[in-house]
Amino acid sequence: MMEQVHLAGEDEDELYSGYNDYNPLFDTENLQQDEGFQNAVKTSHGRRPPMTATRQFAIQRGQMGTTAGARLKTGLVSSMGARPVTGIAAADGSVARPMTAVKAAGYSSTGRGQQFDPMNQASKGPAPPLETKNEDTPEEKIKNLEKKVNGLIEESCLANSRGEFSLALEKAKEAGRKERMLGRQRDELFNGEQVNLDQTYSVLFNVANQYEANEMYQEALNTYQVIVKNKMFSHAGRLRVNIGNIYFKQRNFPKAVKYYRMALDQVPNTHKEMRIKIMKNIGIVFVKMGQYSDAITSFEHIMSEKPDYETAFNLLLCYYATGDRDKMKKTFQQLLGVDLNLDDEDKYLPHPDDKHANLVLEVIKNDALREKEKEAKEGMERCLMAAAKLIAPAIEQSFSAGYDWCVDCVKQSAFTDLANDLEINKAIMYLKQKEFSQAVEVLKTFEKKDSKCASVAATNLSFIYFLQSEYQLAEKYAEVAMTADRYNPAALVNKGNCLFVQGELEKCRDYYQEALRTEASCTEALYNLGLVNKKLGHLEASLDCFLKLHAILRNNAEVLFQIASLYDMLEDTPQATEWFTQLISIVPTDPAILSRLGELFDNEGDKSQAYQYHYESFRYFPSNIEIIEWLGAYFIDSQFVEKAIHYFERAAVIQPNQVKWQLMIASCHRRSGNYQQALETYKRIHKKFPDNIECLKFLVRLCSDLGLKEAQEYATKLKKAEKAKELREQRASSGTRRTGSGRSARGGSAGGSAHGIRGGSAAMSNYPDSGHGSRQSSARSGSARRSGKTRASLPEANGPYEVESQNVDASYVDPLGPSTERPKTAARRRDQTEDEFGDEELGDDLLPE
């Protein structure tokens, strides 16, 4: 067995020999003592950039594949330094290949000399220009036309997004025309082989959308039908939803349901979201049609597939319409169980120690996703509050018990914060039913709850007590609300209102201003601040407040009235007229505003416009005595006394105990030449008001002019009435009043009463026909009616029956002014006014009792 073992002899080479032998060039430990290497390093060629770690590692390993390794392997030194040849030495010591880099590449580091051109391209000259694109070919024309069509579609969509629907429709129609031109060119060139169906579909769909946006529904329906009936358009059947929407807008509900169902049949079951949306539309149409059972079927299917709060609320409305209490309760609980798929709200809370997290929070707290989450949450809360308010009176015997059930359900759900809001709504329902004690009791339960609810409840309590004129309690709860939440603008407004009632205008203005600093859009504070400034006489500041409020509340009648009134107080009549005109456009049937505008035009001298607005005011409120008086005076001034009779007759109907309207009617008849009718009217007046001196004067004059025998009878009555009047004046002057006031009452002129009737319009006093005597006689007749025929009572000190003279004047002044000249009918001419009773002796029967 040992014979088969081979032992190495002395002459044979060692098996592991040669591994410790290496080329001395690789001995880097002795480079410091190598004189040739040190000389090469000291030369300019030797100062090369240091080798990288990769190259150094390759040198140490002795790799032959790189240039550096080859240079170090040969051991040959060139004239420029220690630059070896590039070839690898063979085993016999011969060189495998000569050095190749013996010719310069032509690059100069100094940048001077000839241009770097190793490929000798300079001799060939510049490159030829690019070939111009030929746009005259039919293919290029078609491509350009396609680009124009797409550009017009984009412009149309952008105009629609800006709300410029007319421009969008024009662009869509132009795109349609160019697309048809493009189709004809394709047919001529390619015989209908190349058809861009996508572009045709886009053009038609855009045109239909723009028709619908411009409310051109029939054109939109025709365009949609063209798309739907074209079998080459895949999935065009879904556009039947759009057709159904148009019929819904036209309130053609049966056709809307038909097209919704056709669209639902063409949508595959894989498109679950699309099918659910179509079924929502179907359910809503059934609600509009009053078919609640069919609507319930659609909504219940949606709630079983993918519930959402809008569908749950609609289902609740259907059950409310059908009166199913149990289903209403069940659906309300389903509504509370709807998952909004919202993230935890805690992620939006600030992190005191994590700056990076706070930076991220600043970015995401108001981004689009956060806004969408807020919108979904607010919509859910709005539906819950409306549902509870709706079903609370229906699910139980009383709305109070119904609200209690809803509150219990909400407390057990994820929306526990809404329980307090429901309690406050319960109190508001009590207020609407005028059960104030119950509302106050409910609101007082919030006093010990969290600050926000306590502030809201105290604000409502303050408002209730303010309406009940219990201003101390109102102020108390306003302060409670302010203590719970100092930045509650409603509480600050209530506090200011209490101070306003107490007359502390400066303090209440401070509270209104603080409310505005808290919430700049608090319209109540801004309106009240304007009223306070107006009452304080700060008209410019008040006007500024109402102009700001007008920017917030456009077309608000109260705000417009305040602005117009302030301009009128500032004597800026053109601005006042303009703002009153704007107000009339909003409330065209307000008689007070119409009469106010008529007064402005009357003051400006524009009688025609003044008459127009006064007449409109009379049409809407025909019982306004001031307007009736103005219209009568207008026609008298315009010499249309016949038209004035109509208005004075209406005034006589409204105020039958005022003799002046009867006298105006009689004067109008006399001015128009109808003396017989005037005489009959005066006789009726005398029959109703036998002690009226003015009427007796007119009767005496008319009977004398007409030569009637009754003149003497009326003259006797006139003398008796004047004596009775004088006696009443003496009794009035000798009463308990001071001597000075009595003396001033006796020292007036005899030209008629300067006071007239209190509160009457000043329009009549501007005309010569508005007789002082008639107004004075109406006052006397009123006194005579109250005192009776046998004894005259003492008039009040400030009553309308004060007189200014004891002298008796038998002459009269026509309330309608001087009459026109008429033919002389009397047998005798009176050159001057004379006492008709001067030659007669007064009998005992004419003396006052």
Coordinates of all heavy atoms in Angstrom, one line a residue, residues 617-618 620-628 650 654-655:
S617 N -98.8 105.4 -3.9 CA -99.0 105.1 -2.4 C -100.5 105.1 -2.1 O -100.9 104.3 -1.3 CB -98.3 106.3 -1.7 OG -98.5 106.2 -0.3
F618 N -101.3 106.0 -2.8 CA -102.7 105.9 -2.5 C -103.3 104.6 -3.0 O -104.3 104.1 -2.3 CB -103.3 107.1 -3.2 CG -104.8 107.1 -3.3 CD1 -105.6 107.4 -2.1 CD2 -105.5 106.8 -4.4 CE1 -107.0 107.4 -2.1 CE2 -106.9 106.7 -4.4 CZ -107.6 107.1 -3.3
Y620 N -102.0 101.6 -2.9 CA -101.7 100.5 -2.0 C -102.3 100.8 -0.6 O -102.5 99.9 0.1 CB -100.2 100.3 -1.9 CG -99.6 99.8 -3.2 CD1 -98.7 100.5 -4.0 CD2 -100.0 98.5 -3.7 CE1 -98.2 100.0 -5.1 CE2 -99.5 98.0 -4.9 CZ -98.6 98.8 -5.6 OH -98.1 98.3 -6.8
F621 N -102.5 102.1 -0.3 CA -103.0 102.4 1.1 C -104.0 103.6 0.9 O -103.6 104.7 1.1 CB -101.9 102.7 2.0 CG -102.3 103.0 3.4 CD1 -103.4 102.3 4.0 CD2 -101.7 103.9 4.2 CE1 -103.8 102.5 5.3 CE2 -102.2 104.2 5.5 CZ -103.2 103.4 6.0
P622 N -105.2 103.3 0.5 CA -106.1 104.4 0.2 C -106.7 105.1 1.4 O -107.6 106.0 1.2 CB -107.2 103.7 -0.7 CG -107.2 102.3 -0.2 CD -105.8 102.0 0.1
S623 N -106.3 104.7 2.6 CA -106.9 105.4 3.8 C -105.9 106.4 4.4 O -106.2 106.8 5.5 CB -107.2 104.3 4.8 OG -108.2 103.4 4.3
N624 N -104.8 106.7 3.7 CA -103.9 107.7 4.3 C -104.4 109.1 4.0 O -104.4 109.5 2.9 CB -102.5 107.4 3.6 CG -101.4 108.2 4.3 OD1 -101.7 109.2 5.0 ND2 -100.2 107.7 4.2
I625 N -104.8 109.8 5.1 CA -105.4 111.1 4.9 C -104.4 112.1 4.4 O -104.8 112.9 3.5 CB -105.9 111.6 6.3 CG1 -107.1 110.7 6.8 CG2 -106.3 113.0 6.3 CD1 -108.3 110.9 5.9
E626 N -103.1 112.0 4.8 CA -102.2 112.9 4.2 C -102.0 112.8 2.7 O -101.9 113.8 2.0 CB -100.8 112.7 5.0 CG -100.9 113.1 6.4 CD -99.5 112.9 7.1 OE1 -98.6 112.5 6.3 OE2 -99.4 113.1 8.3
I627 N -101.9 111.6 2.2 CA -101.8 111.4 0.8 C -103.1 111.8 0.1 O -103.0 112.5 -1.0 CB -101.5 109.9 0.5 CG1 -100.3 109.4 1.2 CG2 -101.5 109.6 -1.0 CD1 -99.0 110.2 0.8
I628 N -104.2 111.6 0.6 CA -105.5 112.0 0.0 C -105.5 113.6 -0.1 O -105.9 114.2 -1.1 CB -106.7 111.5 0.8 CG1 -106.8 110.0 0.7 CG2 -108.0 112.2 0.3 CD1 -107.8 109.3 1.5
R650 N -113.6 110.6 -0.5 CA -113.0 109.5 0.2 C -112.5 110.0 1.6 O -112.7 109.2 2.6 CB -111.8 108.9 -0.6 CG -111.2 107.7 0.1 CD -110.1 107.1 -0.8 NE -110.8 106.5 -2.0 CZ -111.2 105.3 -2.0 NH1 -111.2 104.5 -0.9 NH2 -111.8 104.8 -3.1
I654 N -113.6 108.5 5.4 CA -112.7 108.1 6.4 C -112.9 108.9 7.7 O -112.9 108.3 8.8 CB -111.3 108.2 5.9 CG1 -111.1 107.3 4.7 CG2 -110.3 107.9 7.0 CD1 -109.7 107.5 4.0
Q655 N -113.1 110.2 7.6 CA -113.3 111.0 8.7 C -114.7 111.7 8.6 O -114.7 112.9 8.2 CB -112.2 112.1 8.8 CG -110.8 111.4 9.1 CD -109.7 112.5 9.3 OE1 -109.9 113.6 8.9 NE2 -108.6 112.1 9.8

